[in-house]
Amino acid sequence: MVKITGIEFRNPTILASGIMGTTGASLVRMTNSGAGAVVTKSIGPEPKIGHPNPSMVKLDCGFLNAMGLPNPSYADFVNEIKIAKEGADVPVIASIFGGNAEEFVRVAEGLADAKPDAFELNVSCPHAEGYGATIGTDSCMVEAITAAVCDAVDVPVWVKLTPNVTDIKSIGKAAENGGAAAVVAINTLRGMAIDINSGYPILGNRFGGLSGSAVKPVAIKCVYDLYEALDIPVIGVGGVSSWEDAVEMIMAGASAVQIGSAVHEGVEVFADIATGIEQFLQNNGYAGVEDITGLAHEVI
Amino acid sequence: MRPINSKITQIVEETPSIRTFRFDTSLDDAQPGQFVMVWVRGVDEVPMGCSFKNGITVQKVGDATSRLFEMKEGDSVGLRGPFGKGFTLPAKDENILIIAGGVGVAPLGPLADEAASVGAKVTTILGARNASELVFEKRFSEAGGITVTTDDGSAGTCGFVTTVLAEMDVSEYDRICVCGPEIMMFNVLKMLEEKGAHDRAEFSLHRYFKCAIGVCGACCMDHEGLRVCKDGPVLNGSLLLDSEFGNYKRSSSSQRVKV
């Protein structure tokens, strides 16, 4: 059992936003696969069809994606969260986005009826004009939006950060100052792939975000830095596909880990990683995840 | 995987609205029922059932297929795949019933070829709107017995594939493999359920695909959260009873829309 921002999780693995989070039923399936909590896809104020395909490509080093925040709007998605809450025996966290504080608040209030256990603010999507990282690279906007949502809801607010900034600590600090209960680091790194036969960028949006094992060292460093700079918990995400990756992320400072692209290898990844972490803790005489959270800061 | 640059080597006009495109890329490990993502550069990337190891059979329905229909032999597209799970492979002496409607013949053509080549007994019900819209009639005939149905009676039995199925004893078939418009497949499923044969039936489904590799969840079906792109596109009939199948699907913005 892990407790973060007042919410209890049966294990420290969480389904990352944008993965298998389109419907209530798919979220429930992920909880049945062992996830300790699930985050929905990012939901916005209006229905959005996203970018044209190709929208996700597996490369040798990871995955490139540019979905473009496709979503049915909060008005439509309330019912999916209700289905997830009814069918899941773990916390359900609503990921939301907007173009400004007013839109974020409208979406959060609109979804509040479905009683998500927390909100995760997407200020980090790297390829949606006017949304995501456009906002998340501006610490003033991050603080203002976080404060506005915190005022509007009575559950914890997490803020998912972009690594596409000069200093992620300053953005993390802005989220903390705004009242965030936790930060989630990191979203994808800006990337691009080009088809050399035709010269066409492969993604329909031309560029997108890199995830998977290639970004893990970047995520580890961001989590390490944020753990040092902030007083609120850090939830690590980026390239975690094994229990060893998860333990490494936790030792960098993460209180829990989110898992995204690794679902490609099989939905049982959550149970595998949770079991592996538990075994590691037992084998090494640790009482819980908190015993190794940030360990890398203490040993030197 | 990155898209494989694939040159169109042959275009066959199957019907006024359906064409087969053959490529210089052969996906030799593709199983009947698996699909490829066809990247029409600058327009879109769309899923297509493999009708041959090196070919797809396409109906003109949207931007990508319209652009594809403007292409000539020698032009190229990007291909990724094969993806997903196909039909259960037939074994020698098995008795297979194929039910195909319209462009639903695409994944079933290679299944008929494969079944015949391993010594399975193949029977096909092939449906189309009219005689000019029938696809792969010769191919299915060469694999085994065939009954043709057309909505207007211009060839074969006047009616739908279900008109023929209703009169059949399906107990003799080890497996029933179906692809066509969803309403047609739904009616087939209901009929097979009444006959107690739905768990021996496999259906090739269509849903909106975004990532196509089982990650994003855009194609997930209620109520089990099955990913049509990775757990399917071919799914057993028993998984489809009490699902959204035949009732609704998700649009590109994930809103529910009626089938």
Side-chain angles (χ1 to χ4, degrees), chain A residues 19-20 22 25 29 41 48-49 51 53-58 67 71-72 80 194-195 197-198 264, chain B residues 1-2 5 39 41 44-45 80 209-210 213 215-217 222 224-225 227 230-231 250 252-254:
Chain A
I19 313 292
M20 292 293 288
T22 304
R29 184 179 175 193
K41 75 189 301 185
K48 205 168 184 305
I49 62 170
H51 298 315
N53 281 349
S55 50
M56 188 161 188
V57 183
K58 188 174 190 289
M67 294 287 161
N71 83 99
E80 302 297 339
I194 292 165
D195 174 39
N197 297 292
S198 63
H264 179 261
Chain B
M1 65 185 297
R2 286 168 180 258
N5 186 51
W39 180 30
R41 296 178 181 108
D44 204 352
E45 188 193 43
R80 290 194 293 153
F209 286 177
K210 199 81 180 152
I213 54 174
V215 177
C216 76
D222 289 343
E224 299 300 323
R227 299 163 296 180
K230 189 141 180 176
D231 301 312
R250 309 273 172 169
S252 52
S253 61
S254 304

Side-chain angles (χ1 to χ4, degrees), chain B residues 223-244:
Chain B
H223 301 285
E224 299 300 323
L226 289 167
R227 299 163 296 180
V228 175
C229 75
K230 189 141 180 176
D231 301 312
V234 176
L235 293 167
N236 187 281
S238 59
L239 295 172
L240 298 175
L241 292 176
D242 303 320
S243 76
E244 68 180 46

Side-chain angles (χ1 to χ4, degrees), chain A residues 5-235:
Chain A
T5 67
I7 307 167
E8 285 193 344
F9 303 81
R10 67 182 175 196
N11 70 57
T13 69
I14 304 171
L15 173 75
S17 175
I19 313 292
M20 292 293 288
T22 304
T23 68
S26 61
L27 290 164
V28 171
R29 184 179 175 193
M30 295 301 101
T31 73
N32 293 337
S33 304
V38 290
V39 184
T40 70
K41 75 189 301 185
S42 291
I43 302 302
E46 305 293 339
K48 205 168 184 305
I49 62 170
H51 298 315
N53 281 349
S55 50
M56 188 161 188
V57 183
K58 188 174 190 289
L59 304 175
D60 292 338
C61 61
F63 296 85
L64 260 188
N65 91 81
M67 294 287 161
L69 298 171
N71 83 99
S73 82
Y74 67 85
D76 241 51
F77 200 73
V78 165
N79 194 44
E80 302 297 339
I81 295 184
K82 283 180 181 166
I83 291 168
K85 287 283 293 178
E86 279 164 21
D89 53 358
V90 303
V92 176
I93 293 119
S95 172
I96 62 172
F97 73 91
N100 52 46
E102 186 270 329
E103 284 188 356
F104 268 95
V105 168
R106 183 149 58 97
V107 177
E109 287 179 337
L111 292 177
D113 268 1
K115 302 196 183 316
D117 294 276
F119 283 96
E120 181 180 288
L121 311 188
N122 178 350
V123 289
S124 43
C125 174
H127 49 73
E129 209 171 309
Y131 300 109
T134 315
I135 291 163
T137 49
D138 179 334
S139 54
C140 293
M141 282 188 82
V142 169
E143 184 171 340
I145 287 167
T146 307
V149 177
C150 286
D151 277 351
V153 301
D154 54 9
V155 293
V157 173
W158 302 355
V159 179
K160 187 167 179 178
L161 306 175
T162 173
N164 300 302
V165 289
T166 309
D167 177 20
I168 196 168
K169 287 180 287 186
S170 64
I171 308 291
K173 207 74 196 161
E176 186 174 75
N177 292 342
V183 291
V184 181
I186 56 176
N187 205 316
T188 52
L189 277 159
R190 269 196 202 105
M192 191 169 183
I194 292 165
D195 174 39
I196 62 167
N197 297 292
S198 63
Y200 272 85
I202 293 175
L203 291 175
N205 184 55
R206 295 172 290 140
F207 68 94
L210 182 67
S211 64
S213 55
V215 309
K216 196 186 78 177
V218 179
I220 297 286
K221 170 71 167 128
C222 289
V223 168
Y224 187 90
D225 288 350
L226 289 162
Y227 179 83
E228 207 159 68
L230 306 184
D231 295 323
I232 55 176
V234 182
I235 293 160

Side-chain angles (χ1 to χ4, degrees), chain B residues 14 18 20 49-51 57 87 98-112 124-128 133-137 139-140 179-180:
Chain B
E14 307 282 3
I18 298 173
T20 294
C50 302
S51 56
T57 299
F87 292 100
I98 287 174
I99 304 175
V103 77
V105 294
L108 292 168
L111 180 72
T124 301
I125 307 174
L126 176 64
E133 291 291 335
L134 285 163
V135 183
F136 293 165
E137 187 178 357
R139 190 176 184 184
F140 288 114
C179 188

